[in-house]
Amino acid sequence: MKMKFGKRLQQQIQQSFPGWRDKFLAYKKLKKLVKLISLAPSMLNKSSKTEAEFLHLLDYEIEKFNTFFMEQEEDFIIHHKELQEKIKEVVDIGWGANANGSPALEMEDKMEKIRKAIVNFHGEMVLLLNYSNINYTGLSKILKKYDKRTGGVLRLPFIQKVLEQPFFTTDSISKLVKECEATIDAVFPPAKATGMFHSQAGNTAVLVAGEDIFRNTVAALLTMQEIRRGSSTHNHFSLPPLSLPDSKIIQSLIVLSPIQIPS
Amino acid sequence: MHKLMMEAKPALSIQRSGGKQLSNFGFPGAVTSFPNILNHKKESYPKISNSQHVSLEKDLMQRPPTVVSPFSSNNTTVGHIYSSSSGFSTDLQFSSDQRQENHRRQSPFISQSTSGGKSVVLPHPGDPGVLQSTASSHFNHQSDSRCPRFLDDNNGDPIVYQSEDLGKINEWKDWADQIIIDNDELASDWDGLLGGTSFADPEPKFETNKSEQIPATPKDTCATPGRCSSGNAGPTKQRMRWTPELHEIFVEAVNKLGGGERATPKGVLKLMKVEGLTIYHVKSHLQKYRTARYRPETAEESSDKKLTSIEELSSLDLKTGIGISEALRLQMEVQKRLHEQLEIQKNLQLQIEEQGRCLQMMFEKQCKSSLDLLKGGSSTRDTDNSKPGGGSISLSTEEQETAQPLIEQQIPKAKVTRRCDSPLSESAKAPHDL
């Protein structure tokens, strides 16, 4: 039985960082408004009031997305530069240190920290992209519902405007993501360029790191898959089902419970 | 009716009442921001009286802003809270005025809470910029004839959008100059203030009556200055949209001035020479920069992300035996996968909307005259203009279904093309294969 988008969105929100949770689309509320609008005959005061409320809320949500997104983006840009600087430092020192015979362990430790930092940074950015995407999807769905229920033509022009919004024009972040990938490959060349779960064959549920980012990312992938399975608003404007070759394995990666560290 | 709403709306958005300020931000733009949509809707719904609309505005204005907290209380980035402005798609630019109004009513230090505002995308770094210490420089680029009144009074100075505020322009100017001059002093005060305290008053308080409605000319359709709006369709905020290139310039300037701790916002602003950039933008960015650089622990804590430390990761490694390296690799793979899927999804979405847009145009053309595009389209489709929306073009279910082959043909294609003509003409014959 397929879950509704609203539920999926909620799941995604639960999985996301605490500070992000109230930044997602108020899907439920918008849905309620659409319902109200469709029930009230359009001649009455109430209908136009609710309509206005609906439009205003849409506006407000988009504003919320934009502000949040740009804030995160700014932070990421700054962080990216700092990471680059750190990498340069360590790599430079690295060569120097090796030549002098200084403790390689320190170097390794530093490299490890940097690697972790890059991977986490990459993860955060991807999650921001996911944030953008899921909100867009929600908006699109709610507008479809609106058009469907009221016979209006709000969706098309509205979406055209959404496409231009800062929170949707994510190329800058995408670029940073790719740069991170390139950096990781360059500075930490992959030992074996095997498939994602090649070495994990056999270990399923046990695998996961306790990282919030990791959990969040896996959840996002699965949510995406579920959302695209088909919905009440499905028509030719909908996306085809997601094909994730490793989806079974990804599913098994979900942390069942946080692993306690005995102190 | 429609026009009246447009006129009333700007009044809303320029409300200076603090407590209600945010209630304006989400609201005022919504109706006026989609004049086209409203045109369509006008035809689909019976006309509603003017008075109803006006009373609607009043209603909304007085509604307590339940939406305040997401904006103000969860902002954990040191130093910058945004008071967002009106509807995202309006071109209403008022925040410069509003920000200054804020300042006038409180001490300048607290006014940072309102320096959010506009989102502006800066022009390319290489542009020679006249140093503009205010946010209004981009106003000078306005060539929209619909806002003539705002261009003549000020000689390039910040432009105010309220008729009643014209008299206050000079006051504003003087105050702004003062602020800029005292900046260095201010900078250290900022740090002191922001380092220790949280924002006691995220919503600036205003004295003016929040319910006053000021009749105004339709300023909400002022054209966006080209330079500041590249890539950004909502230039109505003080919010700056930073890019890596811009940040580069920033860092260069900061380094020239002796590093993050020593550089002052004023100095950095001068060195950067980017038109449209204000001292407030620089200030907030510098704050973030300092936090990221010199106080990374603070940055981590305040980031709401609660990243698991490396210790936790290594304990897991012990349990699962996969090793940090492997765990990181796995994490990276999953992230890459998600990114990949997001890109694909986005491309599809863009394609779909593009198709929709083309279809819309197609039907509109059809409605007007030519049937050539469809090359002998079936008569049912041609004459099926009796939609619930009356004169408006809406894609009814049948049309959507006939359009389906068009879409399905296009989606497998990798490239997103913005040109409507070619894909459609190629597939125009497809419906007949149904």
Side-chain angles (χ1 to χ4, degrees):
Chain A
M1 186 61 182
K2 205 229 143 229
M3 266 201 242
K4 295 192 156 193
F5 176 80
K7 285 225 169 84
R8 287 285 162 190
L9 178 62
Q10 274 311 112
Q11 273 182 356
Q12 180 72 75
I13 293 176
Q14 298 303 344
Q15 294 286 339
S16 55
F17 304 123
W20 290 30
R21 287 185 195 150
D22 60 347
K23 304 289 192 269
F24 285 86
L25 182 67
Y27 186 77
K28 223 173 175 178
K29 194 168 176 188
L30 284 164
K31 228 169 94 166
K32 279 194 184 134
L33 286 174
V34 169
K35 193 165 184 185
L36 279 179
I37 293 172
S38 67
L39 292 177
S42 46
M43 294 279 319
L44 295 183
N45 275 6
K46 249 196 181 163
S47 157
S48 68
K49 209 171 179 176
T50 323
E51 286 247 6
E53 190 180 344
F54 177 72
L55 290 173
H56 292 166
L57 182 54
L58 280 177
D59 235 27
Y60 173 79
E61 292 294 288
I62 287 167
E63 197 45 50
K64 180 172 83 176
F65 302 155
N66 283 340
T67 305
F68 177 71
F69 183 88
M70 288 193 286
E71 173 107 39
Q72 295 295 319
E73 187 183 47
E74 190 177 348
D75 285 338
F76 286 154
I77 288 174
I78 295 176
H79 192 56
H80 177 79
K81 180 105 180 106
E82 292 310 302
L83 264 183
Q84 296 288 350
E85 298 285 311
K86 277 211 179 91
I87 291 168
K88 245 189 247 171
E89 265 176 44
V90 175
V91 170
D92 289 344
I93 293 175
W95 295 127
N98 285 345
N100 294 339
S102 319
L105 210 62
E106 260 180 48
M107 249 290 285
E108 246 189 65
D109 190 47
K110 271 193 181 153
M111 291 297 264
E112 211 44 60
K113 283 211 171 85
I114 291 210
R115 185 171 174 217
K116 183 171 200 260
I118 299 176
V119 172
N120 284 344
F121 180 53
H122 178 272
E124 282 174 35
M125 286 197 287
V126 173
L127 285 171
L128 185 66
L129 294 177
N130 182 62
Y131 162 89
S132 161
N133 199 283
I134 209 170
N135 285 322
Y136 172 84
T137 304
L139 279 175
S140 176
K141 282 182 183 289
I142 215 63
L143 288 166
K144 277 187 207 172
K145 285 197 199 295
Y146 175 90
D147 280 359
K148 191 171 164 183
R149 295 272 209 139
T150 66
V153 280
L154 184 57
R155 203 193 83 90
L156 209 59
F158 196 103
I159 281 287
Q160 292 298 320
K161 292 207 149 112
V162 172
L163 293 180
E164 295 165 9
Q165 293 305 299
F167 85 90
F168 192 75
T169 51
T170 57
D171 288 343
S172 181
I173 297 288
S174 240
K175 207 166 149 200
L176 290 182
V177 169
K178 295 219 172 88
E179 277 182 39
C180 272
E181 289 171 12
T183 304
I184 279 268
D185 287 342
V187 182
F188 303 92
K192 308 154 218 154
T194 56
M196 183 160 137
F197 302 106
H198 176 82
S199 53
Q200 314 308 325
N203 299 343
T204 47
V206 202
L207 284 177
V208 194
E211 290 283 350
D212 294 335
I213 293 176
F214 186 82
R215 193 183 323 150
N216 206 336
T217 307
V218 170
L221 271 169
L222 292 173
T223 302
M224 194 189 291
Q225 184 177 34
E226 285 303 308
I227 289 174
R228 279 170 61 169
R229 223 169 241 173
S231 71
S232 60
T233 54
H234 186 84
N235 58 18
H236 66 285
F237 283 110
S238 301
L239 296 167
L242 182 65
S243 71
L244 264 184
D246 304 328
S247 74
K248 290 250 163 66
I249 300 180
I250 292 177
Q251 268 169 343
S252 68
L253 285 180
I254 295 182
V255 184
L256 301 174
S257 58
I259 298 173
Q260 293 303 322
I261 306 166
S263 56
Chain B
M1 176 244 318
H2 182 47
K3 271 216 171 99
L4 178 67
M5 279 157 42
M6 288 175 75
E7 284 164 7
K9 282 304 184 182
L12 264 187
S13 59
I14 304 178
Q15 288 301 315
R16 293 186 287 280
S17 53
K20 307 297 178 185
Q21 187 172 14
L22 280 176
S23 69
N24 295 327
F25 295 130
F27 302 151
V31 181
T32 54
S33 52
F34 311 109
N36 297 330
I37 296 165
L38 288 172
N39 281 332
H40 289 180
K41 280 163 57 56
K42 218 166 75 170
E43 288 154 81
S44 25
Y45 299 123
K47 293 198 193 255
I48 305 165
S49 70
N50 288 351
S51 59
Q52 284 186 352
H53 278 293
V54 173
S55 62
L56 184 62
E57 322 299 14
K58 283 201 173 123
D59 231 11
L60 290 165
M61 280 155 50
Q62 281 150 17
R63 193 177 304 174
T66 53
V67 297
V68 169
S69 49
F71 273 111
S72 43
S73 59
N74 286 339
N75 187 348
T76 54
T77 306
V78 180
H80 206 141
I81 290 180
Y82 311 109
S83 59
S84 73
S85 60
S86 61
F88 75 98
S89 56
T90 58
D91 292 329
L92 183 63
Q93 303 179 31
F94 71 98
S95 52
S96 170
D97 161 58
Q98 194 160 34
R99 179 169 47 84
Q100 300 313 324
E101 291 286 84
N102 299 349
H103 295 324
R104 240 179 290 144
R105 284 164 174 77
Q106 335 167 50
S107 97
F109 302 119
I110 305 180
S111 65
Q112 190 187 38
S113 65
T114 62
S115 63
K118 276 179 204 269
S119 61
V120 174
V121 173
L122 291 184
H124 291 295
D127 289 339
V130 174
L131 174 65
Q132 291 276 354
S133 57
T134 64
S136 63
S137 57
H138 50 276
F139 293 167
N140 301 334
H141 296 288
Q142 286 185 19
S143 53
D144 192 341
S145 58
R146 286 170 287 187
C147 312
R149 55 147 65 205
F150 310 115
L151 293 176
D152 42 31
D153 299 15
N154 303 313
N155 302 323
D157 287 324
I159 294 167
V160 183
Y161 284 87
Q162 286 273 346
S163 48
E164 63 171 23
D165 288 329
L166 283 175
K168 295 173 186 165
I169 289 176
N170 291 331
E171 195 187 323
W172 186 97
K173 253 174 62 186
D174 292 340
W175 178 88
D177 289 342
Q178 216 178 8
I179 285 294
I180 302 307
I181 290 166
D182 293 340
N183 181 61
D184 290 331
E185 232 174 75
L186 217 62
S188 52
D189 286 327
W190 278 123
D191 290 336
L193 191 78
L194 297 169
T197 64
S198 58
F199 284 89
D201 181 20
E203 301 167 76
K205 294 189 175 39
F206 297 96
E207 297 158 12
T208 49
N209 183 0
K210 57 181 179 277
S211 61
E212 73 185 334
Q213 288 211 21
I214 302 137
T217 57
K219 337 177 229 302
D220 53 337
T221 50
C222 286
T224 329
R227 286 163 81 77
C228 293
S229 66
S230 50
N232 184 354
T236 62
K237 322 282 178 290
Q238 278 295 339
R239 186 77 178 83
M240 169 67 62
R241 187 168 194 189
W242 285 83
T243 66
E245 296 76 27
L246 190 61
H247 184 65
E248 269 301 323
I249 301 177
F250 171 85
V251 170
E252 274 170 29
V254 164
N255 288 336
K256 275 191 197 149
L257 293 174
E261 295 289 346
R262 292 181 62 187
T264 65
K266 189 177 182 186
V268 172
L269 181 66
K270 270 209 168 91
L271 265 184
M272 284 178 73
K273 296 203 198 72
V274 173
E275 199 166 335
L277 191 60
T278 72
I279 196 132
Y280 304 99
H281 297 143
V282 174
K283 211 174 274 183
S284 85
H285 195 72
L286 186 60
Q287 198 68 35
K288 279 183 188 259
Y289 181 75
R290 284 175 177 158
T291 308
R293 205 172 166 79
Y294 304 104
R295 295 177 277 270
E297 333 76 42
T298 326
E300 286 290 307
E301 282 158 21
S302 64
S303 70
D304 294 315
K305 287 167 190 143
K306 298 203 173 61
L307 294 179
T308 319
S309 69
I310 203 167
E311 289 85 14
E312 200 179 308
L313 186 54
S314 30
S315 81
L316 289 165
D317 302 331
L318 291 175
K319 292 215 175 202
T320 62
I322 58 173
I324 292 180
S325 180
E326 199 51 36
L328 282 178
R329 197 186 72 84
L330 185 58
Q331 184 181 336
M332 192 63 176
E333 282 302 318
V334 171
Q335 285 166 192
K336 269 185 179 172
R337 183 63 59 89
L338 179 56
H339 185 226
E340 206 177 73
Q341 291 301 330
L342 284 169
E343 297 225 287
I344 295 173
Q345 181 154 314
K346 187 161 189 165
N347 269 333
L348 285 177
Q349 284 166 338
L350 286 172
Q351 276 190 5
I352 286 173
E353 295 308 326
E354 184 54 27
Q355 286 294 339
R357 205 170 68 89
C358 291
L359 278 171
Q360 179 82 337
M361 280 169 49
M362 206 171 85
F363 284 121
E364 278 170 5
K365 274 186 189 165
Q366 176 188 339
C367 209
K368 280 172 188 167
S369 52
S370 100
L371 309 175
D372 292 274
L373 268 179
L374 302 177
K375 292 245 183 311
S378 63
S379 53
T380 48
R381 261 192 334 132
D382 294 350
T383 56
D384 185 21
N385 278 333
S386 54
K387 302 168 192 55
S392 65
I393 312 291
S394 66
L395 298 177
S396 64
T397 336
E398 338 162 5
E399 281 154 0
Q400 286 179 349
E401 276 158 28
T402 53
Q404 193 161 4
L406 293 176
I407 309 288
E408 284 172 359
Q409 272 199 342
Q410 296 309 313
I411 285 183
K413 290 190 185 158
K415 275 217 171 115
V416 179
T417 48
R418 292 300 285 192
R419 292 175 46 81
C420 287
D421 303 327
S422 34
L424 282 180
S425 54
E426 279 166 29
S427 53
K429 294 176 185 138
H432 309 302
D433 299 331
L434 286 175

